Amino acid sequence: MPRVICFCKSGGLILLCVACCLLGLSGCAQPSDPVSPVGDSAETYNQQGVELYAQGDFDGAIAKYDKAIELDPSFSTAYFNRGLAYCKNGEHTKAINDYTKAISLRPNYPEAYNNRGFSYFKLDNFDQALENYNKALDLAHTIIDTSK
C-alpha cells in the first residue's frame, strides 16, 4: 500500500486535498516501479533510481533517471520519478517540468497531475494547484469507475 502524505494548509484546497488522500494520491510519494528490468536499459536505470530514492539519495536517483531518459526519451515513468526526486529536493520548478513531460507522454496520468498540483501549491500558485488536483481527481475517478 503506498504511503499517503497530504500537504494542504488552508481554505479551498483542504477538501480537494482530503479527496486526493482518500483516493491515494499525494505529493512527493514513492516512485513508480517498473517490472523486471533487464541489462543496460532505461528500465534498469529507472529501477536503480527507485532504489536510491528509497534510500534517501535523491541526487543519485536523479542521475539514474537522467540516464533512463537519455536511453528512452519516451519513458514517462522516468520523468515522473525524476519529478518526485526533484520534489523531495525542494526543486519544484524542475519537478513541474518533469510532471508536465510525463503528462505529455501519458495524458491520463492522475499521479502526475496530482504531484504537479502539489509542486504548484509549494510555489504558492494555488490556481494551477487546484486545476491539477481537479484533473487528478477526475482521472482517478474515471479509473475507479472503469475498474468496477
Side-chain angles (χ1 to χ4, degrees):
M1 176 108 192
R3 184 178 61 164
V4 176
I5 305 168
C6 281
F7 300 97
C8 296
K9 294 182 181 176
S10 65
L13 290 179
I14 193 72
L15 291 176
L16 192 53
C17 183
V18 169
C20 285
C21 288
L22 291 173
L23 291 171
L25 302 173
S26 61
C28 292
Q30 293 293 348
S32 298
D33 242 340
V35 177
S36 304
V38 178
D40 192 29
S41 66
E43 291 82 7
T44 298
Y45 284 104
N46 184 68
Q47 179 60 36
Q48 291 170 353
V50 168
E51 291 165 7
L52 290 170
Y53 181 99
Q55 296 167 15
D57 181 0
F58 306 121
D59 291 329
I62 289 167
K64 295 297 182 178
Y65 299 138
D66 287 344
K67 184 65 175 172
I69 290 165
E70 178 185 319
L71 291 172
D72 183 358
S74 67
F75 193 7
S76 63
T77 301
Y79 286 101
F80 176 80
N81 289 344
R82 189 173 67 179
L84 287 173
Y86 282 136
C87 181
K88 284 290 196 177
N89 275 345
E91 299 178 81
H92 292 286
T93 300
K94 288 182 178 181
I96 288 167
N97 291 337
D98 275 352
Y99 297 138
T100 300
K101 182 63 176 181
I103 290 165
S104 76
L105 294 167
R106 191 168 129 198
N108 296 326
Y109 203 162
E111 297 87 355
Y113 281 101
N114 179 74
N115 289 5
R116 188 169 69 174
F118 174 75
S119 286
Y120 278 125
F121 180 82
K122 293 300 282 185
L123 294 174
D124 294 332
N125 188 336
F126 303 118
D127 290 338
Q128 287 286 55
L130 185 61
E131 181 180 314
N132 279 271
Y133 284 141
N134 279 326
K135 181 67 173 178
L137 284 171
D138 288 345
L139 289 171
H141 180 68
T142 300
I143 291 168
I144 291 168
D145 282 349
T146 60
S147 67
K148 290 181 180 180

